PDB file of all heavy atoms in Angstrom:
ATOM      1  N   ASN Q 433      38.289  40.468  43.364  1.00  0.00           N
ATOM      2  CA  ASN Q 433      38.333  40.013  44.758  1.00  0.00           C
ATOM      3  C   ASN Q 433      38.319  38.547  44.662  1.00  0.00           C
ATOM      4  O   ASN Q 433      39.121  37.953  45.447  1.00  0.00           O
ATOM      5  CB  ASN Q 433      37.046  40.435  45.363  1.00  0.00           C
ATOM      6  CG  ASN Q 433      37.135  41.959  45.951  1.00  0.00           C
ATOM      7  OD1 ASN Q 433      38.127  42.438  45.925  1.00  0.00           O
ATOM      8  ND2 ASN Q 433      35.908  42.420  46.053  1.00  0.00           N
ATOM      9  N   GLN Q 434      37.706  37.835  43.896  1.00  0.00           N
ATOM     10  CA  GLN Q 434      37.646  36.396  43.712  1.00  0.00           C
ATOM     11  C   GLN Q 434      38.991  35.915  43.076  1.00  0.00           C
ATOM     12  O   GLN Q 434      39.496  34.802  43.540  1.00  0.00           O
ATOM     13  CB  GLN Q 434      36.566  35.864  42.792  1.00  0.00           C
ATOM     14  CG  GLN Q 434      35.201  35.984  43.387  1.00  0.00           C
ATOM     15  CD  GLN Q 434      33.966  35.603  42.423  1.00  0.00           C
ATOM     16  OE1 GLN Q 434      33.443  36.409  41.828  1.00  0.00           O
ATOM     17  NE2 GLN Q 434      33.627  34.340  42.467  1.00  0.00           N
ATOM     18  N   ILE Q 435      39.490  36.667  42.257  1.00  0.00           N
ATOM     19  CA  ILE Q 435      40.851  36.443  41.612  1.00  0.00           C
ATOM     20  C   ILE Q 435      41.872  36.394  42.706  1.00  0.00           C
ATOM     21  O   ILE Q 435      42.836  35.562  42.879  1.00  0.00           O
ATOM     22  CB  ILE Q 435      41.206  37.243  40.521  1.00  0.00           C
ATOM     23  CG1 ILE Q 435      40.255  37.084  39.260  1.00  0.00           C
ATOM     24  CG2 ILE Q 435      42.656  37.057  40.069  1.00  0.00           C
ATOM     25  CD1 ILE Q 435      40.322  37.983  38.107  1.00  0.00           C
ATOM     26  N   ASP Q 436      41.927  37.562  43.672  1.00  0.00           N
ATOM     27  CA  ASP Q 436      42.834  37.647  44.648  1.00  0.00           C
ATOM     28  C   ASP Q 436      42.649  36.556  45.627  1.00  0.00           C
ATOM     29  O   ASP Q 436      43.810  36.045  46.225  1.00  0.00           O
ATOM     30  CB  ASP Q 436      42.667  39.017  45.408  1.00  0.00           C
ATOM     31  CG  ASP Q 436      43.153  40.142  44.679  1.00  0.00           C
ATOM     32  OD1 ASP Q 436      43.935  40.014  43.653  1.00  0.00           O
ATOM     33  OD2 ASP Q 436      42.821  41.273  44.953  1.00  0.00           O
ATOM     34  N   GLU Q 437      41.471  36.181  45.833  1.00  0.00           N
ATOM     35  CA  GLU Q 437      41.297  34.914  46.786  1.00  0.00           C
ATOM     36  C   GLU Q 437      42.003  33.634  46.279  1.00  0.00           C
ATOM     37  O   GLU Q 437      42.631  32.924  47.047  1.00  0.00           O
ATOM     38  CB  GLU Q 437      39.833  34.642  47.104  1.00  0.00           C
ATOM     39  CG  GLU Q 437      39.471  33.628  48.146  1.00  0.00           C
ATOM     40  CD  GLU Q 437      37.932  33.588  48.288  1.00  0.00           C
ATOM     41  OE1 GLU Q 437      37.250  34.546  47.979  1.00  0.00           O
ATOM     42  OE2 GLU Q 437      37.553  32.483  48.826  1.00  0.00           O
ATOM     43  N   LYS Q 438      41.825  33.405  44.972  1.00  0.00           N
ATOM     44  CA  LYS Q 438      42.350  32.277  44.500  1.00  0.00           C
ATOM     45  C   LYS Q 438      43.890  32.448  44.447  1.00  0.00           C
ATOM     46  O   LYS Q 438      44.628  31.429  44.723  1.00  0.00           O
ATOM     47  CB  LYS Q 438      41.836  32.073  43.039  1.00  0.00           C
ATOM     48  CG  LYS Q 438      42.348  30.727  42.418  1.00  0.00           C
ATOM     49  CD  LYS Q 438      42.082  29.500  43.165  1.00  0.00           C
ATOM     50  CE  LYS Q 438      40.656  29.138  43.197  1.00  0.00           C
ATOM     51  NZ  LYS Q 438      40.365  27.843  43.800  1.00  0.00           N
ATOM     52  N   LEU Q 439      44.443  33.512  44.064  1.00  0.00           N
ATOM     53  CA  LEU Q 439      45.816  33.657  43.962  1.00  0.00           C
ATOM     54  C   LEU Q 439      46.527  33.634  45.363  1.00  0.00           C
ATOM     55  O   LEU Q 439      47.691  33.305  45.506  1.00  0.00           O
ATOM     56  CB  LEU Q 439      46.093  35.073  43.448  1.00  0.00           C
ATOM     57  CG  LEU Q 439      45.927  35.239  41.833  1.00  0.00           C
ATOM     58  CD1 LEU Q 439      46.138  36.650  41.317  1.00  0.00           C
ATOM     59  CD2 LEU Q 439      46.842  34.180  41.034  1.00  0.00           C
ATOM     60  N   ASN Q 440      45.905  33.949  46.498  1.00  0.00           N
ATOM     61  CA  ASN Q 440      46.405  33.817  47.672  1.00  0.00           C
ATOM     62  C   ASN Q 440      46.506  32.371  48.218  1.00  0.00           C
ATOM     63  O   ASN Q 440      47.616  31.935  48.687  1.00  0.00           O
ATOM     64  CB  ASN Q 440      45.509  34.482  48.930  1.00  0.00           C
ATOM     65  CG  ASN Q 440      45.784  35.980  49.041  1.00  0.00           C
ATOM     66  OD1 ASN Q 440      46.945  36.399  49.248  1.00  0.00           O
ATOM     67  ND2 ASN Q 440      44.802  36.804  48.676  1.00  0.00           N
ATOM     68  N   PHE Q 441      45.683  31.522  47.658  1.00  0.00           N
ATOM     69  CA  PHE Q 441      45.864  30.102  47.591  1.00  0.00           C
ATOM     70  C   PHE Q 441      47.014  29.570  46.941  1.00  0.00           C
ATOM     71  O   PHE Q 441      47.819  28.826  47.392  1.00  0.00           O
ATOM     72  CB  PHE Q 441      44.486  29.347  47.205  1.00  0.00           C
ATOM     73  CG  PHE Q 441      44.603  28.024  46.864  1.00  0.00           C
ATOM     74  CD1 PHE Q 441      44.802  26.995  47.887  1.00  0.00           C
ATOM     75  CD2 PHE Q 441      44.801  27.491  45.633  1.00  0.00           C
ATOM     76  CE1 PHE Q 441      44.967  25.590  47.640  1.00  0.00           C
ATOM     77  CE2 PHE Q 441      44.894  26.146  45.277  1.00  0.00           C
ATOM     78  CZ  PHE Q 441      44.983  25.273  46.381  1.00  0.00           C
ATOM     79  N   VAL Q 442      47.192  30.098  45.724  1.00  0.00           N
ATOM     80  CA  VAL Q 442      48.297  29.675  44.876  1.00  0.00           C
ATOM     81  C   VAL Q 442      49.614  30.250  45.551  1.00  0.00           C
ATOM     82  O   VAL Q 442      50.750  29.501  45.510  1.00  0.00           O
ATOM     83  CB  VAL Q 442      48.154  30.414  43.491  1.00  0.00           C
ATOM     84  CG1 VAL Q 442      49.440  29.955  42.683  1.00  0.00           C
ATOM     85  CG2 VAL Q 442      46.878  29.812  42.809  1.00  0.00           C
ATOM     86  N   LEU Q 443      49.557  31.461  46.152  1.00  0.00           N
ATOM     87  CA  LEU Q 443      50.817  31.916  46.855  1.00  0.00           C
ATOM     88  C   LEU Q 443      51.226  31.014  47.903  1.00  0.00           C
ATOM     89  O   LEU Q 443      52.423  30.752  48.204  1.00  0.00           O
ATOM     90  CB  LEU Q 443      50.438  33.302  47.361  1.00  0.00           C
ATOM     91  CG  LEU Q 443      51.420  33.863  48.408  1.00  0.00           C
ATOM     92  CD1 LEU Q 443      52.833  34.215  47.624  1.00  0.00           C
ATOM     93  CD2 LEU Q 443      50.923  35.262  49.012  1.00  0.00           C
ATOM     94  N   GLU Q 444      50.244  30.393  48.801  1.00  0.00           N
ATOM     95  CA  GLU Q 444      50.557  29.646  49.939  1.00  0.00           C
ATOM     96  C   GLU Q 444      51.307  28.404  49.294  1.00  0.00           C
ATOM     97  O   GLU Q 444      52.351  27.919  49.983  1.00  0.00           O
ATOM     98  CB  GLU Q 444      49.386  29.127  50.606  1.00  0.00           C
ATOM     99  CG  GLU Q 444      48.707  30.232  51.493  1.00  0.00           C
ATOM    100  CD  GLU Q 444      47.342  29.797  52.107  1.00  0.00           C
ATOM    101  OE1 GLU Q 444      47.268  28.578  52.318  1.00  0.00           O
ATOM    102  OE2 GLU Q 444      46.622  30.638  52.514  1.00  0.00           O
ATOM    103  N   ASN Q 445      50.859  27.813  48.319  1.00  0.00           N
ATOM    104  CA  ASN Q 445      51.480  26.563  47.604  1.00  0.00           C
ATOM    105  C   ASN Q 445      52.825  26.851  47.114  1.00  0.00           C
ATOM    106  O   ASN Q 445      53.716  26.106  47.063  1.00  0.00           O
ATOM    107  CB  ASN Q 445      50.558  26.019  46.599  1.00  0.00           C
ATOM    108  CG  ASN Q 445      49.336  25.241  47.204  1.00  0.00           C
ATOM    109  OD1 ASN Q 445      49.311  24.954  48.411  1.00  0.00           O
ATOM    110  ND2 ASN Q 445      48.326  25.020  46.463  1.00  0.00           N
ATOM    111  N   ARG Q 446      52.864  28.086  46.561  1.00  0.00           N
ATOM    112  CA  ARG Q 446      54.198  28.553  45.914  1.00  0.00           C
ATOM    113  C   ARG Q 446      55.276  28.616  46.955  1.00  0.00           C
ATOM    114  O   ARG Q 446      56.370  28.201  46.843  1.00  0.00           O
ATOM    115  CB  ARG Q 446      54.116  29.824  45.065  1.00  0.00           C
ATOM    116  CG  ARG Q 446      55.399  30.280  44.493  1.00  0.00           C
ATOM    117  CD  ARG Q 446      55.883  29.316  43.495  1.00  0.00           C
ATOM    118  NE  ARG Q 446      57.229  29.629  42.938  1.00  0.00           N
ATOM    119  CZ  ARG Q 446      57.799  28.976  42.111  1.00  0.00           C
ATOM    120  NH1 ARG Q 446      57.326  27.815  41.532  1.00  0.00           N
ATOM    121  NH2 ARG Q 446      59.101  29.293  41.625  1.00  0.00           N
ATOM    122  N   ILE Q 447      55.006  29.196  48.186  1.00  0.00           N
ATOM    123  CA  ILE Q 447      55.860  29.478  49.170  1.00  0.00           C
ATOM    124  C   ILE Q 447      56.335  28.067  49.683  1.00  0.00           C
ATOM    125  O   ILE Q 447      57.568  27.849  49.974  1.00  0.00           O
ATOM    126  CB  ILE Q 447      55.218  30.304  50.301  1.00  0.00           C
ATOM    127  CG1 ILE Q 447      54.986  31.721  49.872  1.00  0.00           C
ATOM    128  CG2 ILE Q 447      56.121  30.356  51.655  1.00  0.00           C
ATOM    129  CD1 ILE Q 447      56.305  32.498  49.467  1.00  0.00           C
ATOM    130  N   LYS Q 448      55.436  27.088  49.846  1.00  0.00           N
ATOM    131  CA  LYS Q 448      55.710  25.843  50.390  1.00  0.00           C
ATOM    132  C   LYS Q 448      56.732  25.180  49.444  1.00  0.00           C
ATOM    133  O   LYS Q 448      57.642  24.442  49.798  1.00  0.00           O
ATOM    134  CB  LYS Q 448      54.490  24.923  50.541  1.00  0.00           C
ATOM    135  CG  LYS Q 448      53.575  25.258  51.675  1.00  0.00           C
ATOM    136  CD  LYS Q 448      52.394  24.533  51.621  1.00  0.00           C
ATOM    137  CE  LYS Q 448      51.398  24.876  52.703  1.00  0.00           C
ATOM    138  NZ  LYS Q 448      50.054  24.138  52.719  1.00  0.00           N
ATOM    139  N   PHE Q 449      56.516  25.339  48.099  1.00  0.00           N
ATOM    140  CA  PHE Q 449      57.342  24.764  47.068  1.00  0.00           C
ATOM    141  C   PHE Q 449      58.692  25.303  47.103  1.00  0.00           C
ATOM    142  O   PHE Q 449      59.736  24.656  47.073  1.00  0.00           O
ATOM    143  CB  PHE Q 449      56.785  24.971  45.722  1.00  0.00           C
ATOM    144  CG  PHE Q 449      57.641  24.734  44.525  1.00  0.00           C
ATOM    145  CD1 PHE Q 449      57.873  23.348  44.135  1.00  0.00           C
ATOM    146  CD2 PHE Q 449      58.414  25.756  43.938  1.00  0.00           C
ATOM    147  CE1 PHE Q 449      58.788  23.049  43.097  1.00  0.00           C
ATOM    148  CE2 PHE Q 449      59.199  25.330  42.859  1.00  0.00           C
ATOM    149  CZ  PHE Q 449      59.487  24.093  42.544  1.00  0.00           C
TER     150      PHE Q 449
END
Side-chain angles (χ1 to χ4, degrees):
N433 289 338
Q434 290 176 267
I435 291 169
D436 284 346
E437 185 179 339
K438 182 58 68 175
L439 286 175
N440 276 302
F441 163 75
V442 176
L443 171 65
E444 289 179 16
N445 287 343
R446 181 63 189 181
I447 294 302
K448 289 177 185 175
F449 170 78

